[in-house]
Amino acid sequence: VAIKAKDPLTVHSVLEDLWRRDGLEIALGGRDSRRLSPMLEYLIYALPHPHLSQTALHVTAIVIDLYKSIVGLSDDIDYLFKTMNELVNNMVMKYKILLKLQGSLDMILSAQDIVANPVPQKMLNLAEKINKMMEKTRFKFESQANDEEDDDMKEKEIDSNNDKQTHDKMETD
């Protein structure tokens, strides 16, 4: 009755109530093309409507499952399903564009937030202290390593000199 009266809010409310009570399959099943057409027309109206789309998507999925076997038997029903298909494909395309736009906006707003809220000075000072500490530690280890290398070099020189002196002594004897 509400569908014939073309009152979308009443139809929406009835469909939501049937959905909550798990009665959509029973209410939508067993329709001939004359009784299915008004429901398809309502769904075509409701799908792009932001306040009605969630329920309309659910009902559309049920209608497609119930009536996919009759596609091709009625020109009117085929036309309505084709219109619904074009509408849904158009909506998917628009949502993809909106998601890309949302991602771009998120990046811009994130960059703006970084500029508007710079790193706190305390954190920068702490990072600088840590870097200085790490530099001193690295310098300390490098100087110890250099000292060890110098000691090794000196030992090698001494050993080399001792070997040379021993060799020279042997030659003179």
Side-chain angles (χ1 to χ4, degrees):
V1 175
I3 291 178
K4 288 181 182 176
K6 304 219 185 240
D7 183 8
L9 293 178
T10 304
V11 174
H12 176 74
S13 297
V14 170
L15 290 173
E16 270 192 335
D17 194 40
L18 287 169
W19 184 6
R20 276 194 292 271
R21 297 176 187 213
D22 291 326
L24 281 172
E25 289 86 2
I26 296 168
L28 296 172
R31 293 174 181 250
D32 59 4
S33 63
R34 186 180 56 80
R35 290 181 42 217
L36 183 59
S37 292
M39 178 56 66
L40 293 176
E41 289 170 358
Y42 166 77
L43 292 172
I44 290 168
Y45 166 80
L47 280 169
H49 194 283
H51 299 292
L52 307 175
S53 65
Q54 183 178 7
T55 302
L57 281 170
H58 182 72
V59 172
T60 300
I62 292 172
V63 167
I64 289 171
D65 287 342
L66 291 173
Y67 295 101
K68 63 185 169 194
S69 61
I70 67 160
V71 173
L73 299 177
S74 168
D75 290 339
D76 293 338
I77 298 299
D78 290 349
Y79 174 76
L80 292 171
F81 273 122
K82 182 181 176 200
T83 304
M84 189 180 297
N85 181 40
E86 291 169 358
L87 176 69
V88 170
N89 287 335
N90 190 15
M91 289 173 59
V92 167
M93 184 181 66
K94 287 179 183 177
Y95 281 126
K96 285 181 180 179
I97 291 169
L98 287 174
L99 286 173
K100 287 179 184 178
L101 179 62
Q102 182 181 11
S104 298
L105 285 174
D106 285 346
M107 286 188 337
I108 291 168
L109 293 175
S110 176
Q112 182 183 11
D113 188 41
I114 290 170
V115 170
N117 300 311
V119 178
Q121 190 60 40
K122 278 186 169 183
M123 190 177 294
L124 291 172
N125 293 342
L126 180 63
E128 188 177 325
K129 284 182 182 179
I130 292 171
N131 288 335
K132 284 181 182 178
M133 181 181 72
M134 295 305 293
E135 186 69 29
K136 286 180 184 177
T137 305
R138 190 185 75 192
F139 178 74
K140 181 180 175 183
F141 284 118
E142 285 176 357
S143 65
Q144 284 178 354
N146 288 339
D147 289 346
E148 288 176 7
E149 286 177 14
D150 289 345
D151 290 344
D152 289 344
M153 295 282 278
K154 286 178 184 176
E155 284 180 24
K156 286 180 184 177
E157 274 183 34
I158 291 171
D159 288 343
S160 172
N161 287 339
N162 286 342
D163 288 343
K164 189 175 181 183
Q165 288 174 359
T166 307
H167 181 34
D168 289 343
K169 264 188 178 181
M170 289 182 152
E171 284 182 2
T172 54
D173 288 338

